[in-house]
Amino acid sequence: MTRIVYKLGVFLSTALIFGYTINSVLAKANRASVYAKQQMVSAANPVAVRIGLNILRAGGSAVDAAIAVQMVLTLVEPQSSGIGGGAFLLNYKPAKTKASKPILSAYDGRETAPRAITENLFLKSNGDVFSWDKRKIGGRSVGVPGTVHVLGVAHKKHGRLPWKILFDPAIQMAKNGFAVSPRLHKMIKKDKFLKNFPEARNYFYLPNGKPLPIGYILKNPKLAETFKLLAEKGPQAFYSRNMSVDIANAVQKTHHLPGKLTAEDIQTYNSKQRPIICGPYKVWKICGMPPPTSGGVAVIQTLGMLERFNLGRHTPNSAEAIHLVTEASRLAFADRNLYLGDPDFVQIPSKGLINTKYLQERSALISKRETMKIAIAGKPPFLSVFPDFSSDNASKELNSTSHIAIVDSWGEAISMTTTIGTAFGSRIMIHGFMLNDELADFAANPRDNKGKIKVNAPQPKKRPRSSMSPTFVLDREGNLIMTVGSPGGSSIIGYVIKTLIAVLDWKMHMQEAIDMPNFLNKNKRTELEKDTNLIELVKELQELGHNPDIREKTSGLSGIRVLEHGLEGGADSRREGIALGD
Ligand code: GLY
């Protein structure tokens, strides 16, 4: 065993040193789908994808590769995700025999709020809400990171290679340096707050205060040490006394809006396995992550409401198709905002919300001729009491978060969306990684104007509601036919829905579906992606009563389809994604 581990280590490190440190800057996202016979990785950064593929080549499972990819992303895409944040991971294991069924698992590594917070976390003493900038920056928004925990649990169940090996590539890269990518450079340049945090300022800027240029070889020896510790001691090292005290100190002692996170909060963190949520769409089954993310429920609801319109008969991205999809999405967001939050704190009628009859009733509210403008939440079945809480709005569009899709040579697959909140999270850096600002996903104002508590109000130990939507599509027999997801804050739901419709109804290949212009609705204005041909539809949409909002819609979709004789992958060139396979 030791010999195998050693050989793997040499293989991975060599591949890394000879291929993957510098050329990430030159990598361009491919515009045609990528095809492979047996295994594939799609993620937001070319270096991370290559490392993930090497892990598969070395005999790793999809989960093994996801762990290695996540560690490399912590280093090379520090604005988006990392070990200082949280993640949702779906795992698919094919049926062993014709008589058995595939096994689908859902793992929740969402951050939790410190015990010492109150519902007034984001309220000033006069009762006003802190501005968005003040909510996301600094110690107050840091939740207990769950990513290492959830990966540890998933590895125990689905790993094939030793945990330790999976850190080798990231350790080597952190020690030897990696080339700053165009997107990382852009995000540093754009950020107004990062340089106010000493650790981050020293790391992300040149001594003259300029952002690190594209191609700059950046080393992160502190992160290399952290990775070594996690590799040697296992995931629990992240939740150990030493690490938890350091993280808690960084949060409590930051100069900017210190938070109340304690070492005990970190030491007692637990990720959770939850029952995966699935619903039908035509001949397919759509499976996603249940609450505390709203993603799975909202995606299943929207597609369920659209089924009767048979979108396959509509021209892709025509005004009438966009109208129907955005109306269904409005209805899903109305329910989302009222009903969805942390299931450990509020009773969530998930089953009722995706009930076929309920979705047919909701769908009947959609008119082909005009928008309903604002949708009202419905009353799903199995709801014993109308919720004793009030709704809040969708959270913001975020430049952070990352999605990883992997299929391995055993036919196992993962769909994992991972985040540190907004770009660079809280901006607090410790031991070489960024701490999240995920608590900013809570409703800032915990009560409505009648004094009723909101479903997503901040509470001690609660998980903030997410929109992350890691998704699997299965055929009638339960075979995997697609794994997909995206970053993008509350726009994630719309990005994933668009991609599913493009593949399933409009028969596009994976890359074409990802590239198709984004459009969505969060029960507000209909959003259309800037600089695309959707602009030509504005007039028609206005005639249907929409008030289109043309804006950047920077999805970061990653997806893989399982075809009869192989795999087809795509990744979003709006960020730096690529897909690669063998
Ligand atoms: N922080 C992004 C999300 O959880 O949806």
Side-chain angles (χ1 to χ4, degrees), residues 88 110 395 398 401 419 421 438 441 465-468 489-490 492:
F88 294 117
R110 185 70 164 164
S395 60
L398 309 173
T401 310
T419 185
E438 219 68 59
D441 276 352
R465 179 177 59 208
S466 168
S467 298
M468 295 194 284
S490 51
I492 291 173

Side-chain angles (χ1 to χ4, degrees), residues 60 112 127 154 211 228 278 295 300 312 326 354 429 448 450 491 515 527 579:
T112 50
K228 267 195 223 160
C278 297
I300 293 168
T326 53
I354 60 165
M429 193 175 193
D448 69 7
K450 293 191 192 112
S491 296
D515 288 346
E527 298 178 29

Side-chain angles (χ1 to χ4, degrees), residues 21 40 140 162 164 175 231 275 291 311 466 474 499 504:
T21 39
M40 189 175 276
R140 189 158 32 202
K164 186 170 180 287
K175 272 205 306 216
L311 286 171
S466 168
L474 311 180
T499 310
L504 302 177

Side-chain angles (χ1 to χ4, degrees), residues 164-233:
K164 186 170 180 287
I165 276 291
L166 308 174
F167 287 75
D168 279 355
I171 293 171
Q172 296 304 321
M173 279 183 76
K175 272 205 306 216
N176 299 331
F178 68 98
V180 168
S181 76
R183 185 161 171 85
L184 174 55
H185 166 75
K186 182 175 153 192
M187 299 309 289
I188 302 171
K189 199 167 157 195
K190 202 168 143 186
D191 202 276
K192 294 193 296 240
F193 309 101
L194 197 57
K195 60 158 69 93
N196 300 335
F197 290 80
E199 187 94 13
R201 184 178 53 235
N202 290 338
Y203 182 67
F204 289 111
Y205 297 83
L206 296 171
N208 64 7
K210 293 235 160 81
L212 294 178
I214 298 168
Y216 180 91
I217 301 302
L218 181 59
K219 296 181 184 174
N220 190 337
K222 287 185 187 168
L223 188 56
E225 287 309 309
T226 305
F227 285 153
K228 267 195 223 160
L229 177 83
L230 298 181
E232 295 292 335
K233 306 267 187 225

